[in-house]
Amino acid sequence: MLWLGPGRAGGRLLLRWARGGSPAAAPRRGAEVLVGGEGGGIAEILMNRPHARNSLGKVFVNELFSALEQLRFDEKVRVVVFKSEVKGVFCAGADLKERAKMDDAEVGHFVKRLRNLMDEIASSAKMGLIETTRGLLPGAGGTQRLPRCVGVGLAKELIFTGRQIDGQEAFSMGLVNHAVPQNEEGDAAYQRALTLAKEILPQAPIAVKMGKLAINRGIEVDIASGMAIEGMCYAQNIPTRDRQEGMAAFKEKRPPRFIGK
């Protein structure tokens, strides 16, 4: 899922267009989120809030929303990769210093925005839901997403203890798909993400979109309802030119040339 758009003169998010019609980051003083990439269907959302270790503050979250909105409907973009521009950290979680200055109503509104943001959207890494060690509970969707990934029992253990785990532990419990040893450049996870993005890129766009929709919606309901959702998604894919191209390519023993129609 990706999107692009022209730069917004009135905001802190600024985009420019690179050759080939793909977005490239245009450095702007004070910007916390940039959109870049080498083109070819892959865009990158670059997180750049070094003074707060990419923690989720108001401006940072607003700029992430803006980046997603500007990429959402761009047909040239097939895959989005989130990348930290801050060495040694991906995202430190909520900005608790900023949160402490909010009143109760502001906290509720902000956490709701975080939950919505997570709905829209990583071996040396450490990760965890540490909210209970700060007198909180996960409020941006962690109590609902984590049990669906690792099961209720393990989710309770991780949330109740506030324990942090490393990439290999996360991989062994099914929380992440891949765990890679760090390289000398410090971007092993990013390189693995790019490799995966390039595997997705040549596949039929509408089929991938419908498969994603069927999985995301089907996991929320019982199996019979999930089958019905799959059937509706499959029906939308049947009349596409890409399906016809895939069948023809198989018959002719050649690689398919999908066009997203």
Side-chain angles (χ1 to χ4, degrees):
M1 180 170 71
L2 282 99
W3 330 304
L4 256 45
R8 294 192 307 150
R12 299 180 65 189
L13 175 70
L14 185 65
L15 309 180
R16 65 179 172 83
W17 293 93
R19 287 178 294 180
S22 57
R28 179 180 178 131
R29 188 175 182 178
E32 296 182 356
V33 177
L34 298 170
V35 177
E38 299 179 359
I42 300 174
E44 297 173 3
I45 291 181
L46 311 174
M47 301 182 294
N48 187 38
R49 198 184 182 215
H51 65 281
R53 296 169 57 83
N54 286 343
S55 60
L56 298 166
K58 287 182 179 179
V59 171
F60 190 62
V61 169
N62 287 340
E63 291 187 5
L64 282 172
F65 269 114
S66 295
L68 292 173
E69 279 304 310
Q70 295 188 55
L71 289 173
R72 183 184 302 278
F73 301 109
D74 191 285
E75 295 182 355
K76 297 183 180 69
V77 180
R78 294 287 317 285
V79 184
V80 176
V81 176
F82 283 76
K83 180 185 180 185
S84 172
E85 293 289 273
V86 181
K87 187 175 181 180
V89 63
F90 183 75
C91 174
D95 187 337
L96 295 183
K97 291 181 180 179
E98 185 178 275
R99 183 85 61 85
K101 299 176 183 178
M102 301 179 187
D103 60 32
D104 291 351
E106 288 178 306
V107 170
H109 176 73
F110 183 68
V111 170
K112 183 178 180 180
R113 277 184 64 77
L114 281 181
R115 197 176 298 121
N116 292 339
L117 178 63
M118 299 309 160
D119 284 338
E120 296 284 339
I121 7 211
S123 156
S124 58
K126 292 285 185 180
M127 62 194 77
L129 295 174
I130 65 167
E131 284 85 348
T132 56
T133 71
R134 301 293 186 269
L136 304 165
L137 76 155
T143 64
Q144 301 307 303
R145 294 187 181 91
L146 189 59
R148 286 166 167 79
C149 291
V150 303
V152 173
L154 190 51
K156 286 182 177 180
E157 179 179 332
L158 293 174
I159 291 174
F160 295 174
T161 62
R163 184 189 307 148
Q164 296 187 56
I165 59 175
D166 62 27
Q168 192 57 49
E169 289 176 299
F171 175 72
S172 67
M173 63 179 63
L175 184 57
V176 299
N177 288 3
H178 305 278
V180 293
Q182 189 59 279
N183 57 21
E184 292 184 2
E185 293 76 18
D187 67 348
Y190 168 68
Q191 294 299 331
R192 182 66 186 90
L194 277 185
T195 298
L196 180 57
K198 291 173 182 177
E199 287 184 66
I200 297 171
L201 201 57
Q203 314 312 329
I206 297 175
V208 171
K209 178 181 179 179
M210 289 295 103
K212 180 180 178 181
L213 180 62
I215 293 169
N216 288 349
R217 294 292 179 261
I219 196 66
E220 299 172 351
V221 298
D222 61 87
I223 187 68
S225 300
M227 291 293 188
I229 291 171
E230 180 185 274
M232 289 186 287
C233 291
Y234 194 88
Q236 293 184 58
N237 191 67
I238 289 176
T240 63
R241 290 167 60 182
D242 278 351
R243 186 188 71 86
Q244 297 171 353
E245 165 63 14
M247 297 299 99
F250 176 77
K251 182 178 180 180
E252 297 166 13
K253 294 182 172 56
R254 60 170 176 80
R257 296 182 290 272
F258 298 123
I259 59 175
K261 296 182 180 180

